[in-house]
Structure formats: C-alpha cells, structure tokens
Amino acid sequence: MSYSDTIAQRVETLSHSALISGVAPLAGRVLLAAIFLLSGISKISDPAGTIGYINMVGLPFPPLSYGAAVLTEIVGSIALILGFQIRIVALILALFSVATALTFHNNLSDLNQFIHFFKNIAMAGGLLQVVAFGAGRYSLDARR
C-alpha cells in the first residue's frame, strides 16, 4: 500500500467520523448564525438609527423594512443554530445577505463598504453550502 493510499484511507475515515458529520456542521451553523443574531439584536437596540439608515438608502417603507430585517435575522439565526428547516432558512439568509450587500454596501470604492460587500457575499456562499448539504447530524431536521 502506498503512502497516498494510506492518506486517502485516513481522509475517508475522517470524513465519516462524528466530527465531520455532526460537530463540524453544527459549529458552522452557529458561526454563520452569530453575525445574523448580533446584527438583529443591534437593530432592536437602536430602531430609530436603523430605520434612519434604511431611509437614507432609499428603501420604501423603512419601518416595514426594519421589521422584516429584524425578523429575518433573529428567527433565521435561531433556526440556523437549531437546524430547523435548514435548507429553506439558509436560502432565505443567503438571499438576504446578497440583497444587503447590493443595497447597503455597494460603494466599492470605499474600502469599508468593499469589505462589507464581500463579507456578505462570502456569507451567502457559506449558506449555499448549507442549502446543498443540509444541517448535519446534530439538528432538528436530522431528528425528523
């Protein structure tokens, strides 16, 4: 048996381990959800500032947009952590991330906006991985 065959077998064993099938997806979901949860909480703590910012970019019905954003971030992050209806939730959060990037972080000549834009695009990419591969072993979806 060659060295590369041994490595391939070890990778195969690792990929079927509880770490990869259970803990890694759970940790990934928690890490992805953290930014949405913190963002939702910050919006709740400063509704006037958030509504003003939404108004400044020209979205219609700023209070309604504010409510939709808070609901999406708080409920979405909790569902993501729990692994509940994960593919639907992850798709909604991915679309939300792209819409947020395009609406609020579209001045790419500003380094801060550039970083926020691509952070949101990267988050959408991670969420699409969740859409494709599901929640993993430790989730409400896996219990059904």
Side-chain angles (χ1 to χ4, degrees):
M1 181 176 287
S2 73
Y3 180 71
S4 63
D5 289 337
T6 303
I7 291 175
Q9 285 177 339
R10 288 184 181 169
V11 169
E12 178 83 18
T13 301
L14 179 62
S15 70
H16 295 305
S17 72
L19 176 66
I20 297 301
S21 65
V23 177
L26 173 60
R29 293 193 329 264
V30 169
L31 293 172
L32 279 168
I35 195 161
F36 293 103
L37 187 58
L38 293 173
S39 181
I41 290 169
S42 74
K43 284 175 178 61
I44 290 170
S45 68
D46 184 19
T50 305
I51 291 170
Y53 187 54
I54 292 169
N55 189 46
M56 184 180 75
V57 298
L59 286 180
F61 312 110
L64 184 60
S65 296
Y66 165 79
V70 168
L71 183 69
T72 299
E73 289 177 331
I74 299 292
V75 173
S77 63
I78 292 168
L80 194 62
I81 290 167
L82 296 174
F84 178 73
Q85 296 292 313
I86 197 71
R87 286 186 161 96
I88 294 167
V89 169
L91 181 59
I92 290 168
L93 289 173
L95 294 172
F96 179 82
S97 296
V98 171
T100 301
L102 294 172
T103 305
F104 294 98
H105 307 302
N106 56 17
N107 181 6
L108 300 182
S109 63
D110 176 340
L111 181 59
N112 187 44
Q113 292 296 309
F114 181 87
I115 291 167
H116 282 295
F117 180 88
F118 282 103
K119 170 206 42 130
N120 280 45
I121 298 303
M123 290 175 358
L127 288 160
L128 290 175
Q129 289 288 308
V130 176
V131 171
F133 297 106
R137 180 184 298 175
Y138 303 122
S139 66
L140 291 178
D141 285 356
R143 295 188 69 121
R144 294 197 270 147

